[in-house]
Amino acid sequence: MSKTFVDRHYKWIASGVLLIGIFMTLLDTTIVDIVLPKMIASLNTDTYGIQWVITIYLIGSAVTMTTVGWLGKKISYYWIYMIGISLFTLMSFFCSQASSLSQMVTFRLFQGVGEGLVVTIGLTMMYRVFPPEERGTAIGIYGLGAMMAPSLGPALGGLLTEHFAWRSIFFVNIPVGIIGIILTMLFLSRIKGERDKSARLNWPSLLLLSIALASLITFLSKGQEKGWTQSNFILNLIIVFVVSMTLYLWNELRSDNPLLDHKLFKISNFRNPVIVLALVSFVAYGSLLLLPLYMENLRGYPTLTTGLVILPIGIVTAVFSVTGGIISDRYSPKWVLFVGVLLLAIGAWTLTLLDLYTSKYTIVLYFLLYGVPMGLCFPPAQAIAFADLEESSVNMGSSITNVVRLVTGSIATSFSVTVFERARHRAYVSISEHATLGHKPLLYTYKKLSLLLHRVGTPENWIDYRTKTVLKMLQDAYASETAFQNTFYWLVFFALASIIFVMLIKWDKNRKVKKVAMH
């Protein structure tokens, strides 16, 4: 490949190389979820213990993201990315060899550190290789990995575990990571960033924020399992979070060297799109948790089928992420974002129509419709958020938006599980109050089931028991159906709420993305 060719097409080559790391690391946020049950026996743990494989990854990633703004001043962007993708690849190998839960948790912690470096600095680097008038396209390409990878996780995880052992989900990262490292060495070394070796890390703020994020993610992950306020463990974590977060904010506000530049939130065109991104991420992560549960637990589809049915969301998200970026460069990103969040609310509403009898083809259609706004929202929101930032603040903006995305995803997961379980309990109780044999429709169903069991040769003394067992299964199924629909309605609400903050964005229809000097 000639130097002239590379120079002419460098933005596309660099973005392609960056996508390898971004896609690979974000894929691990969901691909592991689907194989957790298969890990339990191999790692000699239980259902509760295995959840730490997810929780510790999020903690490692979130804490690392807060340091990237400082790291970007101390060493070049290239080395941050190189360290991140190399660490992630190495830890993927160790995860594939883990023989105990303690080993897996340790390796996943450092794998999360690699993800935090790659995803955060990757956005900054991609933003730099494109000219100012094409920044929307750059963010659209980044969004292709950021939004598509989590959507593809269940499908790829199901495919790999269907034909190979669960360890294959980590093995698959190794050749991809090695290719990414080689291409990074060949093509990304010219992306340096501004160095400031005098930059100091605010260690007290880092320690306090690390404690706050770790306690927040842990009690959100374990809250439903432990019973929330009925558990001393959760109450203690909430107290630790409140105290450490209060001390962190106090230290940051009085420091002339803050860990995260909170002054960025004084810029309305940064603050409002970040809030929109948070709400969109809430809807996205909440739905990506609920959809596999609906497919597998309620409809009884196998893991592989579930992944393949959800696959259209990832494909459509990828297409419209790039499309949304290109459109944002040519037209007002505010109105592109408005259309995106409006379609997101409509897409979330279509998910409330899912029930026990929805055909597989209808489900795929709903998922296709839902994938459009999932891709369309991210590029314009990110483009607006970065438009009024100085070039030196872009890396800090990337750190903040990625931490917000990750924390919001944790909150969304916890919220969706809690709302779903409580709605299912209420629905079950409500159905039970009416489900007596004096209820004519139920009595009719009872008689029809009894007659059917009699015709297939069920012993007389077993007919009543088996009939009531089937009716209880139906009761459970209808309660779950109601719970899924109620939880999806909450996601519609959050999607609609984001419209308020879109309208608060100030963007002149003739304005283009601000051109800032590149160094």
Side-chain angles (χ1 to χ4, degrees):
M1 192 179 295
S2 67
K3 187 176 184 301
T4 304
F5 179 87
V6 171
D7 290 339
R8 187 182 305 125
H9 301 283
Y10 184 71
K11 62 185 178 183
W12 302 111
I13 295 171
S15 59
V17 174
L18 289 166
L19 264 185
I20 293 174
I22 293 166
F23 187 92
M24 178 177 66
T25 55
L26 287 175
L27 186 71
D28 258 49
T29 59
T30 56
I31 194 173
V32 176
D33 295 13
I34 209 161
V35 302
L36 288 181
K38 295 178 172 61
M39 291 185 182
I40 292 174
S42 300
L43 301 179
N44 192 28
T45 184
D46 55 23
T47 305
Y48 298 135
I50 203 67
Q51 293 298 320
W52 282 105
V53 175
I54 302 296
T55 304
I56 200 68
Y57 184 83
L58 297 176
I59 292 172
S61 181
V63 171
T64 304
M65 286 175 179
T66 64
T67 67
V68 173
W70 168 75
L71 281 172
K73 296 177 182 179
K74 299 294 288 186
I75 60 177
S76 72
Y77 295 168
Y78 162 76
W79 278 112
I80 297 174
Y81 184 84
M82 175 63 82
I83 292 169
I85 193 171
S86 299
L87 181 62
F88 184 90
T89 304
L90 179 63
M91 288 302 115
S92 293
F93 171 76
F94 285 135
C95 285
S96 70
Q97 303 299 311
S99 58
S100 67
L101 181 63
S102 59
Q103 289 182 3
M104 178 62 80
V105 168
T106 301
F107 300 147
R108 283 284 286 175
L109 172 64
F110 288 103
Q111 196 183 35
V113 171
E115 190 251 14
L117 294 174
V118 167
V119 171
T120 307
I121 203 66
L123 175 57
T124 304
M125 294 172 78
M126 199 170 289
Y127 195 77
R128 279 177 170 268
V129 298
F130 278 80
E133 64 275 10
E134 295 179 6
R135 294 286 170 79
T137 302
I139 295 169
I141 295 172
Y142 176 87
L144 187 152
M147 301 300 291
M148 182 181 180
S151 302
L152 289 181
L156 185 57
L159 185 65
L160 288 172
T161 53
E162 186 82 9
H163 299 286
F164 307 100
W166 63 262
R167 297 180 188 275
S168 62
I169 67 167
F170 297 112
F171 270 124
V172 75
N173 291 332
I174 298 170
V176 176
I178 291 172
I179 292 171
I181 292 168
I182 293 171
L183 293 177
T184 297
M185 294 170 62
L186 292 174
F187 298 111
L188 299 186
S189 59
R190 66 174 73 177
I191 309 177
K192 303 290 187 181
E194 294 81 23
R195 304 281 291 278
D196 180 8
K197 292 188 176 182
S198 64
R200 295 175 291 111
L201 181 62
N202 191 321
W203 286 103
S205 285
L206 176 61
L207 177 62
L208 290 167
L209 185 58
S210 298
I211 295 172
L213 289 174
S215 56
L216 173 65
I217 291 172
T218 302
F219 82 66
L220 288 173
S221 302
K222 295 290 183 178
Q224 182 64 28
E225 169 198 324
K226 300 288 186 181
W228 292 109
T229 54
Q230 298 176 5
S231 165
N232 288 332
F233 175 73
I234 296 300
L235 287 174
N236 289 336
L237 283 175
I238 293 174
I239 292 171
V240 170
F241 167 71
V242 172
V243 172
S244 57
M245 181 56 75
T246 301
L247 290 174
Y248 162 74
L249 292 173
W250 176 76
N251 187 68
E252 285 283 278
L253 292 174
R254 61 190 290 272
S255 174
D256 58 357
N257 178 41
L259 179 67
L260 296 176
D261 189 358
H262 301 90
K263 292 180 181 178
L264 295 184
F265 284 100
K266 293 182 179 179
I267 304 172
S268 63
N269 271 9
F270 179 80
R271 180 179 64 249
N272 290 319
V274 167
I275 294 173
V276 174
L277 282 171
L279 291 169
V280 170
S281 296
F282 190 101
V283 177
Y285 277 89
S287 59
L288 287 175
L289 169 80
L290 292 170
L291 293 176
L293 293 177
Y294 165 78
M295 295 292 294
E296 292 186 47
N297 295 0
L298 185 61
R299 299 304 302 277
Y301 289 112
T303 301
L304 179 57
T305 303
T306 296
L308 293 176
V309 171
I310 295 176
L311 184 60
I313 293 181
I315 296 173
V316 175
T317 295
V319 172
F320 278 87
S321 179
V322 177
T323 303
I326 295 172
I327 295 174
S328 296
D329 284 332
R330 298 182 180 179
Y331 304 100
S332 169
K334 173 180 177 177
W335 294 111
V336 177
L337 181 58
F338 176 82
V339 172
V341 295
L342 184 61
L343 290 177
L344 184 67
I346 295 171
W349 174 78
T350 63
L351 299 182
T352 67
L353 304 177
L354 297 174
D355 57 28
L356 280 166
Y357 309 104
T358 307
S359 71
K360 190 186 299 183
Y361 301 105
T362 303
I363 294 173
V364 171
L365 176 61
Y366 288 165
F367 288 1
L368 285 169
L369 294 175
Y370 192 57
V372 173
M374 290 268 281
L376 202 57
C377 290
F378 181 83
Q382 198 80 59
I384 296 170
F386 284 5
D388 287 345
L389 300 185
E390 296 298 327
E391 192 69 25
S392 58
S393 298
V394 169
N395 196 33
M396 182 63 72
S398 176
S399 296
I400 292 173
T401 55
N402 276 290
V403 170
V404 167
R405 172 190 59 80
L406 192 148
V407 172
T408 305
S410 299
I411 296 172
T413 299
S414 176
F415 176 87
S416 299
V417 169
T418 302
V419 169
F420 173 79
E421 291 295 343
R422 292 182 178 180
R424 183 168 63 174
H425 175 72
R426 287 195 304 269
Y428 188 88
V429 171
S430 177
I431 293 171
S432 298
E433 290 173 351
H434 297 89
T436 65
L437 291 180
H439 187 248
K440 289 183 179 180
L442 183 63
L443 180 61
Y444 174 78
T445 305
Y446 176 86
K447 290 179 177 179
K448 293 287 285 185
L449 280 172
S450 298
L451 181 60
L452 177 62
L453 289 171
H454 177 75
R455 286 177 177 174
V456 297
T458 304
E460 289 294 331
N461 58 326
W462 280 93
I463 289 179
D464 179 69
Y465 171 76
R466 291 189 175 179
T467 301
K468 289 180 178 177
T469 300
V470 173
L471 289 175
K472 185 178 183 305
M473 290 171 62
L474 285 172
Q475 183 178 339
D476 288 337
Y478 280 115
S480 294
E481 175 190 89
T482 302
F484 278 115
Q485 292 170 347
N486 287 348
T487 311
F488 283 129
Y489 272 118
W490 274 103
L491 298 185
V492 174
F493 168 77
F494 285 109
L496 290 173
S498 65
I499 296 177
I500 297 172
F501 296 96
V502 173
M503 299 311 297
L504 291 175
I505 294 171
K506 299 174 183 178
W507 194 275
D508 185 81
K509 64 180 181 179
N510 297 317
R511 178 185 176 182
K512 299 295 182 182
V513 175
K514 184 181 73 172
K515 296 190 176 185
V516 291
M518 299 294 290
H519 303 283

